Structure formats: structure tokens, C-alpha cells
Amino acid sequence: MNSLGLADSIVFSIYMLMVIIYGWSKYNSKDVENSQDFFFSKNSLPWWAIGACYIGANISAEQFVGMSASGFKMGLAIATYEWMAALTLIVTAIFFIPAFIKNKVSTMPGFLRQRFNGTVAMIMAIFWLMLYVVVNLTSVMYLGALAIHSLSGYSVISCMIFLSVFSIFFSMGGMKVIAYTNGLQVFFLILGGLATSYLAIQLVSVHYETLGLIKGFVLMTEKASEHFHMIFSPGDTFYTSLPGLTVLFGGMWIVNLSYWGCNQYIIQSALGSDIKTARSGILFAAFIKLIIPIIVVLPGIAAFILFRDGQFQKELTVNGVLNADRAYPALMNLLPAGLKGLSAAALTAAVVSTLTAMSNSVSTIFTLDIYKKVINKEASEIQMVKVGRIAIITAVFLAVIIAPFIGIDKQGGFEFIQEYTGFVSPGIFAMFLLGLFWKKTTSNAALFAAIGGFLLSVSFKFFPEMIDLSFLAPTGFIVMTGTGGYEIPFLDRMGLVFLICILVMVIISLIETRKKENIKGWTQELSLFKVPKDFAIGSGVLFVIVVALYAIYW
């Protein structure tokens, strides 16, 4: 039944009330009197709140709906985005975050201005604002609204308005309210997600007349053994999406390092902290990433098994065409009274926490990097906080208007986000990597990465369709599309663009350093990257777990 019953509505209302009371109990008007406290909550967030912000900013309908749909179609292999992210978080905690904190970086455009020049910073500030609003905010808003619509029966527009108002409500309180609220919402996210996973596995057990959670999981691995492999080979249906060992040694690292190391809405909570606290929070987030596939991928696989055996036919098809994005909501609708409300609360928590993180980062970049630098250089702290709040409302409002018109529901939510962010990630990561760790990197080299990286990505997307490159098909670097043409798998494309950007940036920088004696470079002391013993032990345990997972499900 696509509606919330009385028990579900009560549970959902209690969740909302708890989050509102808890979040605003942390509100203090003194915390929003200046821009640094409003946007970053300087030196006041504990490690667990920083970790919760990382997870809250990341996990949303993109995972619950989009990644679950990918689990339905391709299986456990899609979990590579989560498990490789866990390793990537450790890398960023050791190298990226300390460099940002030491150099008092507040925004990613601010880093580019500090390291290169105002032109590079302004280009990227405008670009990030467009990306966050047109791609990130809209996709999260729309996918979340679709899922809540399927549970409640309310219109998609009504659900988007609800999500937007709820997220704006918390964003108005600044980073401290957002961070503490995310801590509670991540708890609901995991609890509700585990409830849906339990139901999904039990449904498979009952369908095949067996009982028990463990037996149900083993049964899933037997009935859909092709869905429990992490590495695809050339010729596999989904090789284009996850091209073999590229997920371990190639473009997947570009995706993750760009996302977790150079992304304003992800790392903003850590920028206001000290290095030790930030690292502890990020390690906490890395361990949570290990269990996300249990919450979002396993239900997708269970739905696939049941769909193949004749169930969920009506729920997952639209005009006779399968829509895997409906798999997770269809499972949630089968939850018993009360648990369905809890899972709806978990989904809402995931969406709202991500929307607050994104809208706050849009507000931060606009206020500090555009308004303060260009529009009103004499702006007071109170004015910047006011402008920041207006920017939040404007960004969310634009997302509600744009979301229904960009085709998120046609391409698949998770693939939509990965495809479009993949056009810019290689250049951005190349710019940050050399900017942080090679002092000879020049502003023109960074400008090439910003613009040239995007143009190269677009070229490599369409170039194989115009020229016969079929002779490269046996290598796996070129694969056939559904229309009979050829394309470069987008993860391989990202790796190739990244390498070209690095090479050209090095050449440009070496040529320019011969003409200029004073290069605006950074030198990082090696002691900055030394980690405490407890962090090293935790990282080692996490690494062993990831290696074991890949060894078991290779």
C-alpha cells in the first residue's frame, strides 16, 4: 500500500520532532553572529559530529534509490563505490585535510585563490555553484521525492516542497545545528536501512521456503551468484560502468579522491576543526562506509531475485518497461506498521542531511568567494550571514524548479550523478593534487586543468562514436554500446583525462618556471602527514577488511 498508516505516521512524526528538538537545542544565536561560526562552527564540533557530517552529506536517495537500483541490475560490484571510498577517506585524512587546515583554507575556491589566482578561483566558484545546484541538489531532491511519493502517495512536487522546507529549516541554524542534527539522522539512516535489508533477505527466505537471516543471505548468493562478483571482465554487460581492475587501480581513485578530497559540501565540517579531531571523524565515517552496501545494495539484489521469480512486476514496471529505481521503495512498502515509518524516516534523514550540507556549501562559496570578493568587499559579518541564508533558500528553490526537467528518472539516479560529475572530476583532482603537493605548479597550468579537463572529457565521450575504433575492442578500453557504436568506459575516460591533465600541467609549469623566479607555491612539511598510533591501527584494520571483502567476492 503506497501510504503511511497511523502507526507509521506516528513513528515518522516522532522522528521529525526528535530531530527538530535535538538540532535546535544546539542552536545558539552567538554561533551565527559571524561567518566563520555560521559556515564552519569553528573548533566546536566533536569527532563523531564531523564523521556524521561526512556520511550525512554523502548518503542520500542517490544511494538508497540509485545504488539499490544498480544492485538490482549489476549486483554487489556497485559496492566498490562505498568500499573504495573507505580507503580514499583514509588517504584524504592523512594528506589533504591537514594541508587545508594548516593553510587555513575555508572554501575550495578560496584554496585556488590562495594557491593560484583570482581568475582560477572565480571560474571554479561559478562552476561549483552550477554543479551543486543543477546536478547535485536537483538529483538528491528529485530522487528523494520519488521515493517518499512511492511510500506516502503524496505528489512528487509536494514531497519536494516538504524536503526543501525541512532542509532549509535546519540550514538556517548554521553548521553547528547541521552537524549535530546529522549525527541523529545518520543513526536513523542506519537503523531504518538495516530494517529494510532484514525484510528483503527474509522475503527471499520465505519465497524459497527456508528460514533465518544467515540462510537467507546464503540462498541469495546461490540464486543470484552472478550478482556477487566485484570485478567485471571485458564483454560483461556492465563492464562499461565498472571496467574491470579500473575500480582498484584506475579511474575509481579519481572519482573518490576528487569527491572526498576536493568537495566543499563533503569536507566543510572538517575545515573548522583541528587536524586530530578531523582525522578521527573521517576514520569514523570510513568504517560506516563499509556497512552502506548492506543497507542499500543487498535489498536491490533481493528485489532482483524476487522480480525474476514473478514478484514486484507491477511495482517495478512503468508502461511495461522495468524501472529499477523503484526497487527500494517497493521493498519499503512491504514493511510492517511502524517499521515502514522508521524506514521512511531513515530515507528522509538521508535526503535532508545531504540537502543541508549541499545548500550550506553553496551558500558558503557564494558568500565568501563571490559576494565578499566581488559584490560587496566591505560586507560586515552580519551581512554575510544574512546573504548566506538567502543563498540557501535560493539554491533549494532553484533545485525544486529544475529537478523535474533534467531527466534524472530516465537515466537512473546513481548513473546520472556519476556521469555528469565525471566530466569535471579529473581536471579538478589534477589541479588540487599538483597545487597541494608540487610547488612549481602555475596558475595557467591550473586554468588548463579547469577548462581543458572538461573539454577533454567531452571529446573522449563522443570521439569513439565518430571514428571506427573497433580494433581496440579486444583490449577492453573501447566497448560496444547498445546502439552498435563504441565508447570508452567512463571510469577509464576519467583516468585518461587525469593523466593528460597532469602531463600538460607539468609541461606548462616547467616552461613558465623558467621565465619566472617567484612561483606562488606551497611546501608541505612531512611531519604534517604523520598520524597518531590509534589512527594508524584503525586504518590498518579497515584496509584488511576491504582486502578481505574483495578477496571473498572477487
Side-chain angles (χ1 to χ4, degrees):
M1 182 174 66
N2 295 348
S3 63
L4 295 179
L6 179 60
D8 297 314
S9 297
I10 291 173
V11 170
F12 188 80
S13 299
I14 291 174
Y15 149 74
M16 290 185 62
L17 188 61
M18 284 177 59
V19 173
I20 290 172
I21 293 174
Y22 179 72
W24 282 92
S25 70
K26 302 300 180 181
Y27 177 79
N28 187 330
S29 59
K30 293 182 179 180
D31 293 336
V32 294
E33 289 180 347
N34 65 74
S35 59
Q36 289 299 304
D37 286 333
F38 179 75
F39 294 119
F40 305 101
S41 191
K42 277 285 188 180
N43 300 317
S44 66
L45 298 181
W47 62 268
W48 60 265
I50 293 174
C53 277
Y54 267 67
I55 297 300
N58 169 243
I59 303 300
S60 186
E62 174 188 353
Q63 278 76 20
F64 276 95
V65 177
M67 186 173 282
S68 183
S70 295
F72 181 100
K73 292 183 288 186
M74 68 178 68
L76 191 64
I78 197 64
T80 190
Y81 278 97
E82 303 302 311
W83 291 340
M84 290 301 289
L87 297 182
T88 307
L89 279 165
I90 300 303
V91 174
T92 60
I94 295 174
F95 297 105
F96 284 71
I97 293 300
F100 288 140
I101 293 176
K102 176 201 169 187
N103 291 283
K104 299 180 179 179
V105 171
S106 296
T107 66
M108 297 301 96
F111 159 73
L112 298 176
R113 181 179 294 103
Q114 190 177 341
R115 176 61 179 83
F116 299 116
N117 59 37
T119 301
V120 175
M122 186 56 63
I123 289 173
M124 293 308 299
I126 295 172
F127 159 75
W128 270 311
L129 289 178
M130 293 178 62
L131 179 69
Y132 290 164
V133 173
V134 177
V135 176
N136 296 100
L137 270 172
T138 53
S139 57
V140 170
M141 181 84 70
Y142 194 69
L143 286 174
L146 278 176
I148 296 174
H149 156 72
S150 67
L151 293 171
S152 65
Y154 292 110
S155 69
V156 174
I157 295 298
S158 298
C159 292
M160 284 201 296
I161 293 173
F162 163 73
L163 289 172
S164 63
V165 171
F166 202 26
S167 63
I168 288 172
F169 179 77
F170 289 110
S171 299
M172 293 295 100
M175 176 54 75
K176 187 174 182 178
V177 172
I178 292 172
Y180 279 93
T181 301
N182 278 354
L184 186 59
Q185 297 201 129
V186 166
F187 171 78
F188 275 97
L189 180 158
I190 294 174
L191 186 62
L194 288 174
T196 305
S197 296
Y198 175 81
L199 169 76
I201 297 173
Q202 287 292 91
L203 284 174
V204 174
S205 298
V206 172
H207 181 70
Y208 288 102
E209 300 180 348
T210 186
L211 296 175
L213 191 65
I214 302 299
K215 290 182 179 179
F217 175 75
V218 173
L219 189 63
M220 285 174 60
T221 64
E222 294 173 352
K223 296 297 181 180
S225 59
E226 74 283 2
H227 271 53
F228 283 89
H229 295 289
M230 295 298 298
I231 306 297
F232 292 127
S233 301
D236 287 339
T237 303
F238 297 103
Y239 183 82
T240 302
S241 299
L242 296 172
L245 294 179
T246 295
V247 301
L248 295 179
F249 306 109
M252 184 60 72
W253 282 100
I254 310 301
V255 172
N256 278 301
L257 286 169
S258 174
Y259 181 86
W260 295 104
C262 317
N263 193 334
Q264 182 72 33
Y265 71 80
I266 291 295
I267 69 174
Q268 185 160 328
S269 60
L271 296 178
S273 182
D274 61 88
I275 294 174
K276 185 178 185 303
T277 303
R279 278 176 168 165
S280 298
I282 295 171
L283 181 61
F284 173 56
F287 274 101
I288 294 179
K289 292 295 284 183
L290 294 180
I291 67 173
I292 297 301
I294 298 174
I295 295 173
V296 298
V297 179
L298 288 186
I301 298 175
F304 164 78
I305 295 171
L306 296 170
F307 180 82
R308 187 179 57 185
D309 285 357
Q311 297 190 31
F312 295 121
Q313 299 294 316
K314 182 179 179 181
E315 292 86 350
L316 302 188
T317 54
V318 181
N319 298 323
V321 179
L322 171 66
N323 185 346
D325 278 342
R326 293 172 174 252
Y328 196 88
L331 287 170
M332 291 177 67
N333 271 313
L334 296 179
L335 284 167
L339 276 181
K340 182 179 177 182
L342 178 64
S343 291
L347 182 60
T348 303
V351 175
V352 169
S353 58
T354 302
L355 290 175
T356 56
M358 289 179 175
S359 59
N360 190 51
S361 292
V362 168
S363 170
T364 304
I365 292 174
F366 176 79
T367 304
L368 300 185
D369 295 299
I370 296 180
Y371 178 76
K372 177 67 174 177
K373 297 296 181 183
V374 179
I375 300 173
N376 185 1
K377 296 181 180 180
E378 305 300 323
S380 67
E381 292 294 321
I382 296 298
Q383 284 177 309
M384 285 195 288
V385 172
K386 182 178 179 180
V387 169
R389 285 172 167 160
I390 294 173
I392 288 171
I393 296 172
T394 303
V396 174
F397 178 71
L398 287 174
V400 172
I401 293 176
I402 297 171
F405 302 104
I406 58 177
I408 301 171
D409 56 330
K410 296 180 177 63
Q411 184 172 347
F414 192 75
E415 293 179 19
F416 174 87
I417 295 172
Q418 302 307 320
E419 176 77 14
Y420 282 93
T421 56
F423 282 111
V424 296
S425 297
I428 291 175
F429 180 57
M431 180 197 309
F432 273 76
L433 184 66
L434 292 188
L436 280 169
F437 304 113
W438 190 45
K439 65 180 182 180
K440 292 184 178 181
T441 310
T442 64
S443 300
N444 286 329
L447 196 59
F448 168 80
I451 300 174
F454 172 74
L455 295 177
L456 284 170
S457 295
V458 173
S459 299
F460 288 136
K461 165 69 175 176
F462 299 105
F463 182 72
E465 297 180 2
M466 298 182 289
I467 297 178
D468 183 11
L469 298 174
S470 57
F471 65 94
L472 291 174
T475 67
F477 186 70
I478 295 287
V479 296
M480 182 175 288
T481 65
T483 58
Y486 287 88
E487 68 176 334
I488 302 174
F490 85 91
L491 286 176
D492 287 338
R493 188 170 72 231
M494 291 176 66
L496 178 60
V497 172
F498 169 75
L499 292 176
I500 294 175
C501 285
I502 290 289
L503 177 62
V504 176
M505 286 181 70
V506 169
I507 292 173
I508 292 173
S509 298
L510 290 176
I511 291 174
E512 291 192 324
T513 52
R514 291 179 181 178
K515 301 177 182 179
K516 303 176 184 178
E517 294 183 1
N518 297 318
I519 298 297
K520 193 179 179 181
W522 283 9
T523 300
Q524 311 292 357
E525 299 176 1
L526 292 179
S527 60
L528 186 66
F529 309 123
K530 185 178 180 180
V531 298
K533 185 177 180 180
D534 56 347
F535 181 89
I537 292 173
S539 300
V541 171
L542 186 139
F543 178 78
V544 170
I545 293 174
V546 173
V547 171
L549 288 169
Y550 273 92
I552 294 170
Y553 297 109
W554 186 270

